[in-house]
Amino acid sequence: QQRQLQQSHLAARRADGLAAAADSVREPLQRPEDCCPSSRQLPAAPADATLAAATTEAETAEAEAEAEAGVAEAEAEEAASLASAALRPRFVFFLCEMMAIGLAFTVVEKFIFVFIIKELGGSQSLCGYSVAVNVIFEVPIFHFGDALLRTLGHEAMVLLSLLAYALRVFGYSCLQPHTVWALLALEPLHGITYALSWTAAVDKVKAEVPAAWQTSGMLLLNSAMWCAGRTAGSLLGGSFLQHGRAFGHSGGRALYLVAACASAGLIAAHVVITLLLRAAGERR
């Protein structure tokens, strides 16, 4: 017990000595704001600034929502305008007419050389020359397409195209083995047929389809003329060429006689339906 008391006294003395030493080396400290004026507390931001920031954020979000709603409304209006243009009776008839013209083009493009070589005994050189004549007569019509549109308009250009096609295929049906080279005299009509109809068709889409939907309008035109029309022309023309008969003939001669009659019927339909639509208020 005496040893424990001695040890506790020694520990107490030792702690007192350490405390006295610490007090002797410690210097009085000043307040932070006295020793460093920059450390003084700044006044707190007023609550009005926080409220103003929140109000600005809300106004920004509201403006963005209104802008998005405006864009969505404009897109809906444009879609409605496309549907309105595409479903107009005149435009529907225009697409049907372009599909028929695409069918007619295919009957010539896919089967004329079969007719020339196999039935009339023409040469492959003659077929090549006919293609060159086609292209030569297309170029000037495309070059002056804008002037022709201003002078003739869509309806007259399509009508002239159909007339040229009817003359062309009727001329094919009249060819004989000894007159097969007369094919070259008929081929300039292809330039009139193709260049007039395609120029009128493209400008028709540009005139009737809203500017924001021009690509969709060209998609409709190409689908009608070159997808539906060409597919139907290949299937019907090939089947008729192999199995069909008309006016006492078969093969290519019968095919092009039927094509001439069909194009004459399309000319009549074009004139009648155009007059009816104009009477009903469809000017284009």
Side-chain angles (χ1 to χ4, degrees), residues 24 28 30 66 81 125 127 129 137 163 206 228 257 283:
S24 63
Q30 296 179 341
E66 290 179 355
S81 63
S125 298
C127 297
Y129 297 150
F137 279 86
L163 285 170
K206 181 181 178 181
L257 280 171
R283 294 295 177 186

Side-chain angles (χ1 to χ4, degrees), residues 109-227:
E109 291 175 0
K110 300 296 182 184
F111 305 113
I112 184 60
F113 295 157
V114 176
F115 174 56
I116 293 297
I117 293 174
K118 289 191 173 182
E119 299 187 30
L120 300 180
S123 65
Q124 295 181 356
S125 298
L126 173 61
C127 297
Y129 297 150
S130 69
V131 174
V133 173
N134 288 345
V135 175
I136 289 172
F137 279 86
E138 286 175 8
V139 172
I141 296 178
F142 279 126
H143 178 73
F144 294 105
D146 188 52
L148 290 170
L149 281 167
R150 290 195 304 268
T151 304
L152 300 175
H154 303 125
E155 307 298 342
M157 290 178 70
V158 173
L159 189 60
L160 287 174
S161 171
L162 293 172
L163 285 170
Y165 179 84
L167 291 173
R168 181 186 181 195
V169 293
F170 181 75
Y172 289 162
S173 70
C174 296
L175 291 174
Q176 300 294 332
H178 62 280
T179 60
V180 67
W181 281 86
L183 172 70
L184 297 181
L186 296 171
E187 289 310 280
L189 293 172
H190 170 79
I192 299 174
T193 302
Y194 175 70
L196 285 182
S197 61
W198 185 245
T199 301
V202 172
D203 196 72
K204 180 78 169 179
V205 170
K206 181 181 178 181
E208 294 207 7
V209 176
W213 296 95
Q214 290 291 311
T215 303
S216 299
M218 287 303 300
L219 175 63
L220 291 174
L221 173 61
N222 280 282
S223 298
M225 193 168 183
W226 301 125
C227 294

Side-chain angles (χ1 to χ4, degrees), residues 93 97 100-101 104 158-170 247 255-273:
F93 174 68
E97 194 173 41
I101 291 175
V158 173
L159 189 60
L160 287 174
S161 171
L162 293 172
L163 285 170
Y165 179 84
L167 291 173
R168 181 186 181 195
V169 293
F170 181 75
F247 307 104
L255 175 64
Y256 292 118
L257 280 171
V258 171
C261 293
S263 58
L266 187 57
I267 290 170
H270 176 91
V271 173
V272 172
I273 294 177

